[in-house]
Amino acid sequence: MDKQLFTSIPSVNALLQSEAGLALIARFSHASVVEAFRVAIDRLRQGAFSVAHVDDLAAALTGEAQVFLVEKFAPSLTRCINATGTVIHTNLGRSKLSPIVLEELTNAAFANTNLEYNLASGGRGSRYQHLEAVLCELTGSEAALVVNNNAAAVMLVLDTVAKAREVVVSRGELVEIGGSFRIPDIVERSGCCLKEVGTTNKTHPDDYARALGDQSAAILKVHTSNYKISGFTKEVDVAELAAIARENNVPLIHDMGSGMLIDLQKFGLPYEMTVQDSLASGADIVTFSGDKVLGGPQAGIIVGKKTYIEAMKKNQLTRALRVDKMTIAALEATLRLYYDEALVLAEIPTLAMLTASLAALELRADQLIKTLAPISSASVEIVDTQSQVGGGAYPGEEIASKAVAISIAGLSANELAEALRRASVPIICKIRHNRCELDVRTIEADEFDVIAEALREILG
Ligand SMILES: *Cc1c(COP(=O)(O)O)cnc(C)c1O
């Protein structure tokens, strides 16, 4: 750029007062637009972009400022399409809430509520009152408490019933979940001492019985959420463990991870113990997540014997781990759906996806193909694929599913996957057999047009 152009760069003030400048201020605030014009002028001086004519300076700087502002004001947490087939994808926000919870969620967020107010007495109430009855009814529990997440639930339980004493855990259940949650570390951070029993593949009732002594405060059973030990194995089930716990006068704590409230065997998934079964088999305290298979918001749910739960409510830690009013609203509305099993399967996206039949998925794949058909330069085809449950449920289990495989001439599978990730609404797919697959198990019908739009964007 020549010298004369540099001396003609308009002032920030002049740019602000132009018609385009005023339009930006109306949209992005005065201070941000000032910042954006300063950045644009600096970038021009540094040669990051160039302008051919003096007459084009103002427009070019305004365009540059607008790009800066749009980026600055774009939300960091943004909508994505989960085309991976992993139903409970922790990196993509786990369970989507049921649209049915919207009204309660909106009320909790934008209106005053009886969050901690007792409408009958006109005095102080408890935020936990809203969830306890429904949780007890659904699980057959005596009492219930909900905290920030399941990791918090396990810490609170251990801190309350086992602080400064021993917690007995099988070596086959020393689980790590996503790196930040490791049973040995959580036990230690809760001020307890870990007493490992058995071996990696086999733990017998005797191993527990021998390990329990004066210093023992609890037995902890942990769901091996993200791995499966197969072959020459033995674990002690909840009923047997409960008997050993009773004999030794310690509570049995069961960290179930996902926490199923309904048995999904009739939909072709393998047997997983439900929360009700665990309590009925004698577990004293059961903890599970709100946003895994349950299909609700992030939360850690604790059910079990009243004496323990009452002690947890009085624990100072509970205040630090407490749930927000929006969580309570969304969780209460989600839990109420469980009164009707047909409703739960239809209305909770996580469960609808997990139980979708292959025939329904084939139909959905067909509809997606039809939506994409007008985009002639993308080649699309329905293929068989495998979905996963994810989120620490049904480890190692693959469910037959259908996907639409996409390829675009001149783009490798990796390049196409990256382009899909960079679309206005990012699409996260999986790559199998060197092609991008969109697994329709985790895609909803109202997302088809968005996918078509993204492909048009990519093809320019
Ligand atoms: C997922 C999981 C947790 C952690 O639950 P968050 O709700 O993510 O805190 C703890 N224990 C087990 C067995 C799990 O599967």
Side-chain angles (χ1 to χ4, degrees), residues 94 149-151 177 181 222-223 225 255 257-258 289 291-292 299 392:
R94 290 196 184 160
N149 58 6
N150 190 27
I177 287 144
F181 180 92
V222 186
H223 186 263
S225 293
D255 171 10
S258 228
S289 293
D291 56 355
K292 290 185 178 172

Side-chain angles (χ1 to χ4, degrees), residues 5-17:
L5 265 170
F6 269 118
T7 55
S8 314
I9 292 176
S11 69
V12 170
N13 247 341
L15 290 165
L16 287 170
Q17 275 153 28

Side-chain angles (χ1 to χ4, degrees), residues 287-298:
T287 77
F288 55 102
S289 293
D291 56 355
K292 290 185 178 172
V293 179
L294 189 79
Q298 178 188 302

Side-chain angles (χ1 to χ4, degrees), residues 320-391:
L321 305 175
R322 81 177 188 188
V323 275
D324 166 66
K325 59 193 177 188
M326 287 189 280
T327 302
I328 293 173
L331 187 56
E332 186 192 355
T334 304
L335 287 168
R336 283 196 195 291
L337 291 171
Y338 277 88
Y339 285 141
D340 179 347
E341 193 173 300
L343 201 62
V344 113
L345 295 178
E347 300 294 344
I348 295 185
T350 299
L351 289 168
M353 287 172 191
L354 283 177
T355 57
S357 70
L358 207 52
L361 294 171
E362 189 140 21
L363 220 73
R364 204 183 295 173
D366 219 46
Q367 283 169 336
L368 177 55
I369 289 264
K370 285 199 180 100
T371 313
L372 302 181
I375 308 168
S376 53
S377 31
S379 87
V380 289
E381 183 194 354
I382 298 180
V383 295
D384 291 327
T385 193
Q386 300 288 328
S387 303
Q388 290 192 328
V389 180

